[in-house]
């Protein structure tokens, strides 16, 4: 026990001294009380679909829930997630929120969080996105009460992974650990595949301040060629395209090259993340950010005459297109941005928060340039 404590304290000193995101092998030194669960999962083919049915409970022991950082209790779910057996890679990647895939043991993979820096929040963060600084799950493991499997529980009792772990690897078949929402495989091969995301240098210019240390998604930036994976943690394995889980950010893909199954969309699919009513400013007033308080026709004009395809208010009627969301990836509110609208027009503006609390590129003046 004494030797373990010395190793644990040494790991803490490394983390404190470097201020960088560390590999999972170091993070798993923290001790957790073990809880066993009755895992039930079935994977079967149905036509051109591969369906995973499970009770959402893992096939390995977990930490104790609730705990100091996570007030929720693990409970069995009724999960049915189907993906394409023969996915096609498209020319453009799509950012994904919520669950991006499912492990072979039937546990969902959800690397991101819905929490943002909020100095008025009880814990220093909340679901209010106005700061633009999105809490990174693996960068805030302690605050979010994760166990040694880099997983925790949501308000519905759903246990889910934010990063890879030894237990997850053992749950797989060879290097295969699961399937992404678009049907492509997810593999873990250790250090053979490395992420192309790097920490930004210097200090944060707004929000929480301090150094870019990996606590927030916006601390990271994609640097093409710095690793051997693309912006979605994708690459080739045995001659075919797959996604990879990595020991450093983004840990799991945060965007997909294929078409995501509707089972994974926010608010759809049993056992998946439920949509939440958007929270507006004081007095329940909706912010005027170029997407709100305007007719559908006016919104169409703002995006080159094309109907926005985002999942905002009214199932896409007032939401931004994916191009607007991608333009603000790794940016903060108020920063300049630009993108090519679905209609071909070039749009310029600044990053702002949409009614369904997504960070997107807002056209200047809310009108077509």
């Amino acid at each position: 026990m004494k030797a373990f404590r010395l190793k644990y304290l040494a790991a803490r000193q490394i983390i404190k001294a470097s201020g960088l995101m560390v590999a999972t092998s170091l993070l798993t030194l923290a001790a957790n009380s073990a809880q066993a669960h009755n895992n039930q999962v079935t994977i079967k083919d149905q036509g051109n679909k591969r369906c995973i049915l499970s009770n959402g409970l893992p096939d390995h022991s977990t930490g104790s829930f609730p705990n100091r950082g996570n007030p929720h209790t693990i409970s069995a779910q009724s999960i049915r997630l189907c993906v394409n057996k023969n996915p096609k890679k498209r020319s453009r990647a799509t950012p994904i929120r919520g669950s991006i895939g499912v492990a072979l043991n039937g546990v969902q993979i959800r690397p991101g969080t819905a929490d943002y820096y909020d100095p008025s929040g009880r814990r220093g963060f909340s679901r209010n996105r106005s700061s633009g600084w999105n809490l990174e799950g693996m960068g805030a493991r302690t605050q979010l009460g994760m166990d040694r499997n880099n997983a925790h529980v949501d308000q519905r009792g759903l246990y889910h992974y934010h990063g890879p772990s030894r237990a997850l690897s053992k749950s797989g078949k060879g290097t295969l650990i699961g399937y992404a929402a678009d049907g492509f495989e997810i593999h873990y091969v250790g250090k053979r595949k490395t992420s192309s995301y790097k920490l930004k240098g210097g200090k944060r210019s707004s929000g929480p301040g301090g150094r870019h240390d990996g606590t927030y998604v916006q601390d990271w930036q994609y640097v093409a060629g710095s690793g051997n994976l693309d912006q979605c943690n994708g690459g080739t394995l045995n001659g075919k395209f797959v996604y990879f889980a990595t020991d450093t950010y983004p840990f799991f893909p945060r965007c997909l090259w294929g078409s995501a199954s509707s089972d994974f969309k926010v608010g759809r699919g049993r056992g998946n993340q439920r949509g939440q009513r958007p929270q507006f400013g004081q007095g329940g007033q909706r912010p005027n950010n170029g997407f709100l308080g305007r007719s559908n026709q006016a919104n169409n004009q703002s995006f080159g005459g094309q109907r926005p395809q985002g999942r905002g208010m009214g199932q896409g009627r007032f939401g931004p297109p994916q191009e607007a969301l991608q333009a603000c990836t790794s940016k903060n509110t108020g920063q300049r941005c630009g993108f090519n609208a679905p209609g071909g027009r070039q749009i310029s503006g600044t990053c702002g928060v949409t009614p369904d609390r997504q960070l997107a590129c807002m056209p200047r003046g809310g009108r077509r340039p």
Side-chain angles (χ1 to χ4, degrees):
M1 184 66 184
K2 183 177 180 181
F4 172 82
R5 179 168 176 77
L6 289 174
K7 290 181 180 179
Y8 174 60
L9 292 175
R12 287 187 62 185
Q13 289 300 317
I14 293 173
I15 295 170
K16 184 177 180 181
S18 66
L20 301 178
M21 182 60 61
V22 296
T24 304
S25 57
L26 277 178
L27 291 171
T28 54
L29 285 172
N32 293 91
S33 299
Q35 291 183 341
H37 302 279
N38 180 26
N39 170 257
Q40 297 177 18
V41 60
T42 300
I43 300 178
K44 59 183 180 180
D45 292 346
Q46 294 183 345
N48 63 347
K49 300 289 185 182
R50 176 176 288 112
C51 296
I52 298 92
L53 294 80
S54 82
N55 63 356
L57 299 178
D59 57 349
H60 54 73
S61 62
T62 70
S64 294
F65 296 99
N67 59 43
R68 185 174 181 179
N70 188 283
H72 311 301
T73 301
I74 296 178
S75 63
Q77 309 287 314
S78 177
I79 296 174
R80 183 179 186 274
L81 298 168
C82 295
V83 299
N84 196 330
K85 279 200 315 184
N86 301 295
K88 305 294 183 183
K89 187 180 179 184
R90 299 182 297 186
S91 60
R92 181 175 296 175
T94 302
I96 298 295
R97 292 179 57 212
S99 297
I100 62 90
V102 58
L104 295 185
N105 62 5
V107 175
Q108 292 187 47
I109 298 171
R110 187 183 297 175
T113 77
D115 296 305
Y116 285 73
Y117 169 72
D118 181 359
S120 64
R122 182 174 60 86
R123 301 168 65 188
F125 56 86
S126 72
R127 298 298 175 92
N128 184 347
R129 300 187 183 191
S130 59
S131 72
W133 290 91
N134 185 198
L135 198 67
E136 165 53 33
M138 291 292 287
R141 294 181 73 258
T142 301
Q143 297 97 308
L144 298 175
M146 291 192 198
D147 64 11
R148 69 180 65 194
N149 306 309
N150 296 318
H152 67 173
V153 185
D154 71 7
Q155 67 274 17
R156 293 177 294 113
L158 178 70
Y159 185 78
H160 57 278
Y161 299 116
H162 280 266
S165 68
R166 184 175 300 175
L168 177 57
S169 297
K170 289 182 177 180
S171 297
K173 294 181 179 179
T175 62
L176 176 66
I177 60 173
Y179 296 97
D182 59 5
F184 284 109
E185 296 176 351
I186 302 175
H187 288 258
Y188 178 74
V189 295
K191 296 181 179 180
R192 287 163 50 193
K193 294 294 183 179
T194 55
S195 162
S196 295
Y197 283 84
K198 300 295 180 183
L199 280 172
K200 297 176 182 177
K203 296 183 178 181
R204 305 182 186 103
S205 59
S206 63
R211 294 185 302 109
H212 294 287
D213 61 2
T215 302
Y216 300 92
V217 172
Q218 288 71 28
D219 288 339
W220 298 91
Q221 60 184 343
Y222 175 68
V223 182
S226 60
N228 52 19
L229 298 177
D230 64 25
Q231 64 265 43
C232 300
N233 252 27
T236 57
L237 182 67
N238 299 325
K240 66 178 181 180
F241 177 82
V242 301
Y243 298 111
F244 291 91
T246 51
D247 289 331
T248 56
Y249 185 89
F251 304 101
F252 291 112
R254 307 295 176 101
C255 57
L256 299 177
W257 287 105
S259 179
S261 164
S262 60
D263 289 352
F264 287 84
K265 291 182 179 179
V266 175
R268 300 183 67 177
R270 294 181 182 178
N272 203 0
Q273 178 177 334
R274 301 293 181 186
Q276 296 186 359
R277 184 180 298 277
Q279 298 177 0
F280 302 113
Q282 294 182 353
Q285 297 297 313
R286 299 182 180 185
N288 183 7
N289 56 16
F291 292 131
L292 294 171
R294 301 161 59 224
S295 68
N296 199 30
Q297 180 180 4
N299 274 303
N300 290 348
Q301 291 177 344
S302 294
F303 296 106
Q306 297 293 316
R307 179 172 177 167
Q309 298 300 312
R311 293 191 306 275
M313 298 291 291
Q315 294 298 316
R317 289 179 57 203
F318 298 102
Q322 290 295 341
E323 291 82 358
L325 297 173
Q326 285 183 292
C328 288
T329 300
S330 299
K331 289 182 180 290
N332 302 320
T333 54
Q335 288 188 300
R336 293 182 179 180
C337 57
F339 64 95
N340 291 324
R345 282 189 170 275
Q346 187 173 5
I347 305 295
S348 59
T350 57
C351 293
V353 181
T354 68
D356 62 345
R357 317 307 290 172
Q358 299 186 77
L359 191 65
C361 189
M362 306 292 186
R364 289 198 183 104
R367 296 188 299 273
R368 186 173 65 184

